Amino acid sequence: TPGSWVVGITRANSAGQAGGISGGGAICEGGAAASEERLDGRYRAWLSDGTISPQSRFTKASQPYVLVDGSRVAGSYAELVTIHPEVAITGDENGNIVAFERPVWTGTAADGNAASGATCDGWTSDAGRGVIGLPYFIGGGLWTDSQEIDCARPAHLYCFEQ
């Protein structure tokens, strides 16, 4: 949708070892480039590692975030981190619903800063635990900061156009 930024969830899922925050970004970039929609733009993973977070490294969009199908997720970055998603972020880079009840690695609190929980050693290890979000939650912080799970379990990533 012109004048908006795309957000979605990765079709693929993996254990907590994403190659760090930059590796998560590379996963998002690869998914966007290989998508049926051939999504343009630059994408970053909604990941925090205890020091770096979306709040510290994302472009704070004043335009709406939308799913690939055009559904509005939030009116801006400020709305995303205060009002939270208006619709579930369950659509992948092709617009397919892939993760209604599947967890998403985040390490990120509802305000976009690093959550107080674990991050699979900065998203570099399948050992330990990591904070997840649950993509079907809207209107509250559980979409990004729900609970910790074992890093060996598979989960998706949220990807945000920048």
Side-chain angles (χ1 to χ4, degrees):
T1 305
S4 58
W5 292 20
V6 175
V7 59
I9 193 168
T10 54
R11 176 182 33 202
N13 61 34
S14 66
Q17 198 291 92
I21 288 179
S22 62
I27 292 168
C28 289
E29 289 278 335
S35 71
E36 295 167 5
E37 302 292 326
R38 299 287 185 250
L39 298 173
D40 292 329
R42 184 171 154 212
Y43 290 82
R44 288 190 171 163
W46 182 265
L47 286 174
S48 297
D49 67 4
T51 304
I52 300 170
S53 68
Q55 185 66 28
S56 68
R57 66 189 172 84
F58 271 35
T59 301
K60 312 303 185 294
S62 57
Q63 300 89 353
Y65 287 105
V66 298
L67 299 176
V68 171
D69 69 6
S71 300
R72 182 176 140 143
V73 173
S76 65
Y77 182 87
E79 285 186 17
L80 178 71
V81 298
T82 57
I83 300 170
H84 308 299
E86 298 170 15
V87 298
I89 304 174
T90 56
D92 71 6
E93 54 269 21
N94 295 313
N96 300 316
I97 303 298
V98 295
F100 190 75
E101 294 183 6
R102 298 294 302 269
V104 180
W105 296 119
T106 69
T108 307
D111 64 1
N113 288 299
S116 60
T119 62
C120 302
D121 196 19
W123 311 111
T124 62
S125 174
D126 291 343
R129 296 179 69 74
V131 172
I132 59 151
L134 299 172
Y136 52 88
F137 275 97
I138 59 174
L142 295 178
W143 73 276
T144 184
D145 189 3
S146 173
Q147 61 189 328
E148 290 184 14
I149 64 170
D150 291 331
C151 295
R153 286 188 54 195
H156 298 269
L157 297 174
Y158 292 123
C159 299
F160 284 77
E161 185 175 5
Q162 298 295 290

